[in-house]
Amino acid sequence: MIIRSVEVKDAEKILEYTKIVGNESNNLLFGSEGIGLNVDQEVKVLESIINHPKQIMIVAIANDEIVGLANLSGQTRERIAHQARLAISVRKDYWGKGISSQLMSSLINFAKEIQIEVITLEVFSNNIRGIKLYEKFGFEHIGEFKKFAKINGEFVDAKLMNLYLK
Ligand SMILES: CC(C)(COP(=O)(O)OP(=O)(O)OC[C@H]1O[C@@H](n2cnc3c(N)ncnc32)[C@H](O)[C@@H]1OP(=O)(O)O)[C@@H](O)C(=O)NCCC(=O)NCCS
């Protein structure tokens, strides 16, 4: 398995990947429709991430397919420039093999390199795997967001979790 930074040529595969993981898991902000961009739009998003000094997107690749995707996005406004947001997913067939742990380590190292002090995220309160993953990396529970998402008419609460690097 290869873990590397995203490249513009990954655009089409990333769009396919988001549809697959969106279909496999109810714990993401999108379902089987994926992220709703066409390839040209995704290319622009990837170019913007690749050229941004405070953003990184990394992919895990097995058998020439994307099996994991994670990104860290540093805030740009000066008063919150010490914060970055994190998101991660892995294809179901590849759960429990340590892929997300490798992706998390890469993102946290990048965050340290760019002097991020707090990594923030929201995780659905019923996503035990996700919560355990974040706890393993030292994320703290800082609050609960009632009615964070609405999926098929049902509200889902989220836990707010932060990793304090300093
Ligand atoms: C959450 C997710 C990213 C974990 O990915 P993964 O590659 O399976 O995770 P890993 O194999 O690296 O395991 C990391 C940790 O997760 C936790 N974990 C893994 N499997 C678990 C299980 N069955 N039950 C509870 N915790 C579990 C453990 O803490 C594990 O660390 P350990 O093996 O050292 O104990 C993956 O299940 C996923 O993509 N889910 C759908 C999308 C999602 O929920 N993303 C997060 C949204 S906030």
Side-chain angles (χ1 to χ4, degrees):
M1 204 200 42
I2 298 167
I3 291 196
R4 62 159 171 81
S5 290
V6 80
E7 294 170 12
V8 169
K9 67 169 193 215
D10 298 321
E12 197 165 351
K13 282 194 170 164
I14 288 178
L15 293 177
E16 276 168 36
Y17 170 86
T18 60
K19 289 180 185 164
I20 296 169
V21 287
N23 184 47
E24 287 177 345
S25 165
N26 243 351
N27 291 323
L28 295 167
L29 296 182
F30 51 85
S32 56
E33 75 284 5
I35 53 175
L37 300 181
N38 64 35
V39 176
D40 288 346
Q41 291 167 326
E42 180 63 12
V43 163
K44 289 202 171 65
V45 169
L46 295 181
E47 282 172 348
S48 146
I49 293 172
I50 291 164
N51 294 320
H52 197 296
K54 292 184 72 177
Q55 291 187 17
I56 192 169
M57 181 177 278
I58 49 179
V59 283
I61 298 184
N63 304 320
D64 211 27
E65 292 298 324
I66 296 177
V67 299
L69 181 69
N71 67 286
L72 185 109
S73 182
Q75 300 281 3
T76 47
R77 286 184 192 273
E78 193 187 336
R79 291 181 176 182
I80 54 169
H82 62 291
Q83 295 184 22
R85 297 182 57 77
L86 179 148
I88 189 165
S89 62
V90 171
R91 275 180 62 166
K92 201 165 193 171
D93 282 349
Y94 293 85
W95 287 4
K97 297 178 189 300
I99 295 177
S100 71
S101 298
Q102 290 187 55
L103 294 170
M104 288 290 287
S105 297
S106 299
L107 291 186
I108 293 169
N109 285 339
F110 175 76
K112 287 177 180 166
E113 279 168 22
I114 61 165
Q115 272 86 46
I116 290 298
E117 294 174 69
V118 189
I119 302 179
T120 70
L121 58 84
E122 300 94 21
V123 51
F124 291 174
S125 301
N126 55 8
N127 185 0
I128 304 302
R129 262 175 194 273
I131 292 167
K132 292 279 175 227
L133 168 70
Y134 301 133
E135 287 173 343
K136 174 179 158 185
F137 281 87
F139 279 76
E140 299 174 24
H141 293 256
I142 57 154
E144 185 101 4
F145 188 151
K146 299 268 180 230
K147 299 189 178 177
F148 175 77
K150 201 173 184 183
I151 303 178
N152 302 326
E154 298 281 325
F155 285 114
V156 182
D157 299 341
K159 290 186 184 298
L160 310 179
M161 297 185 77
N162 284 358
L163 176 62
Y164 291 90
L165 295 171
K166 283 191 185 162

